[in-house]
Amino acid sequence: MSPTPSSSSSTTPEPLPGAVGGSVSPEPTGNGPAVNPETGIAPAGQPLTHLGSSTEYIGYLDNLENSAGSAGGDGGRVLRRRALDHEEYHALVQDRMRNLDALEAAGGARLTPGEGLVVALDVDGTILDLDGRVSERVMASIARLRAHEVPVVISTGRGIAAAMPVVRHLGMTAGWMVCANGALTLRLDPDAPGGYEVVDSRTFDPRTAIETLHAAVPDGIIAVEDPGVGFKVSRLFPNGELIEDQRVVTLDELVSQPVTRVVLRAPGMSVERFSEIVAGSGLHSVEYAIGWTAWLDVAPEGVTKASALEALIARLGADSAHTLAVGDGSNDVEMIEWAGAGVVMGSAPQWVRDRGDILTEPVWRDGCAAVLDALIERVRHP
């Protein structure tokens, strides 16, 4: 991943036949969000949730000198996300324990380390904040679960190149990861090239999807994922939006081989209009999810985070009833509904909240960490 434009972006080659709305770049170009120097992680450029949209989690500050990390201003008053103090966090863990107890009392499986537990975690907006940071509480809670030999599976919409810095920062050199919304399953291995091995890859022929989307949104940007490398694109995405490197190619190259994902981006178009156009395109052969911006992810038919996790836990000898999954976006819904305990972050839109079993606090208030620590506490307080 390259956080700043490469030298190849300084020239503009002539368009080639078959290109879609752009010229062809011979080398990958990085124009995504800057990598956080503390973590080595680039924050997501295209969030699926509005972090900060829940005003009850925003504190007002009168002192502008103490407004570092502010989320906005209002007549001299500053909004800032406030982390929980120790007592508040302890109370939150107790609340999550009660939630888990209630699920079990209602007929759910016993979810605790040593009972066949598997934990699946989304990345952006769940364990990673908008600045590309993982809090100390999240780091510690994941480490505690792994010390109890609980499989912790990172399950993300990110491609491999954008996801690997996350697991490296977490210290996960072994284990499992689901990428590209379920199209790729990786076994983490420090001795393998790049630190991983792809054990499952689900692809589809992108020709019909790309031709349909190009006809529906002629001015849109179309991209296909090149696993472990980045994206091939019809033209460059707006600065700061795509984490991975991108290389401008012709339409013929975009449709030339099976892919794990197709992305359509329509800068400047409203989500409502974009959704109407996509819904009317007749695209039924693949699965798709629209985010908060005019952005569409197209995956192989039937492939979701849940489908990848179902195959993975069979390999691990576990089952969905003993799986706890945490997420916050539209691409997490299938995973949340599939798991024995589906946990939704407090920053999620209401329709996603409605699909979960447990609602926890947003990422800046360590809602995910509280759930994981509640699992550990259930060992001490059976």
Side-chain angles (χ1 to χ4, degrees):
M1 185 187 330
S2 174
T4 57
S6 68
S7 59
S8 64
S9 64
S10 60
T11 60
T12 306
E14 290 297 319
L16 294 183
V20 183
S23 57
V24 175
S25 171
E27 298 294 336
T29 300
N31 71 344
V35 171
N36 186 310
E38 297 177 7
T39 64
I41 301 170
Q46 193 274 319
L48 289 174
T49 58
H50 280 312
L51 292 180
S53 62
S54 300
T55 56
E56 67 266 27
Y57 302 126
I58 303 296
Y60 283 88
L61 295 178
D62 291 312
N63 186 351
L64 295 181
E65 294 180 353
N66 294 326
S67 62
S70 63
D74 179 16
R77 298 174 71 82
V78 176
L79 295 174
R80 186 178 70 176
R81 305 182 186 100
R82 185 180 66 82
L84 298 178
D85 62 29
H86 177 75
E87 301 251 341
E88 291 171 325
Y89 182 72
H90 178 71
L92 181 60
V93 172
Q94 298 300 309
D95 284 344
R96 296 296 81 85
M97 287 181 66
R98 284 188 282 271
N99 292 149
L100 292 169
D101 290 343
L103 277 180
E104 184 177 349
R110 173 76 177 168
L111 296 178
T112 189
E115 301 282 347
L117 176 67
V118 176
V119 171
L121 302 177
D122 171 52
V123 171
D124 296 290
T126 298
I127 64 173
L128 190 73
D129 69 16
L130 283 175
D131 298 319
R133 288 193 297 255
V134 181
S135 76
E136 292 183 7
R137 284 171 177 157
V138 170
M139 294 280 286
S141 63
I142 291 175
R144 289 189 194 104
L145 281 179
R146 297 182 68 227
H148 280 268
E149 300 184 348
V150 175
V152 177
V153 182
I154 300 302
S155 184
T156 178
R158 290 179 175 230
I160 297 173
M164 284 302 296
V166 178
V167 295
R168 291 191 187 108
H169 182 63
L170 293 171
M172 295 177 61
T173 57
W176 303 89
M177 181 163 63
V178 169
C179 293
N181 290 322
L184 295 164
T185 299
L186 279 58
R187 182 179 66 85
L188 302 174
D189 180 353
D191 297 325
Y196 66 89
E197 173 193 7
V198 177
V199 298
D200 193 9
S201 176
R202 303 300 175 93
T203 62
F204 68 105
D205 183 345
R207 180 177 294 274
T208 298
I210 288 175
E211 291 178 349
T212 300
L213 293 173
H214 180 47
V217 189
D219 295 331
I221 303 171
I222 297 177
V224 297
E225 189 165 13
D226 190 1
V229 178
F231 282 84
K232 298 174 183 177
V233 300
S234 61
R235 73 173 190 269
L236 295 180
F237 279 60
N239 284 338
E241 283 202 350
L242 196 62
I243 298 173
E244 295 87 349
D245 286 347
Q246 46 191 311
R247 181 167 64 90
V248 179
V249 301
T250 66
L251 176 61
D252 286 343
E253 186 168 348
L254 286 176
V255 302
S256 64
Q257 59 188 16
V259 300
T260 55
R261 170 163 51 180
V262 173
V263 175
L264 172 65
R265 175 74 171 98
M269 184 179 292
S270 70
V271 175
E272 293 75 19
R273 179 58 182 152
F274 185 73
S275 299
E276 290 174 3
I277 291 174
V278 171
S281 68
L283 187 64
H284 300 301
S285 60
V286 288
E287 303 296 317
Y288 60 87
I290 298 173
W292 283 100
T293 58
W295 178 300
L296 176 76
D297 266 0
V298 182
E301 185 174 8
V303 170
T304 65
K305 291 183 180 183
S307 68
L309 289 167
E310 179 69 29
L312 177 57
I313 64 169
R315 180 191 290 260
L316 299 176
D319 58 59
S320 61
H322 288 84
T323 301
L324 180 140
V326 191
D328 72 318
S330 60
N331 60 336
D332 296 315
V333 168
E334 293 88 354
M335 175 179 76
I336 289 166
E337 293 184 324
W338 163 85
V343 182
V344 181
M345 301 295 289
S347 54
Q350 186 60 51
W351 75 272
V352 176
R353 296 186 190 198
D354 293 341
R355 305 298 183 90
D357 301 303
I358 296 172
L359 180 66
T360 193
E361 293 284 301
V363 64
W364 62 89
R365 288 166 73 92
D366 288 319
C368 179
V371 175
L372 305 188
D373 280 338
L375 291 169
I376 298 295
E377 286 297 305
R378 298 186 92 209
V379 176
R380 302 183 356 175
H381 304 283

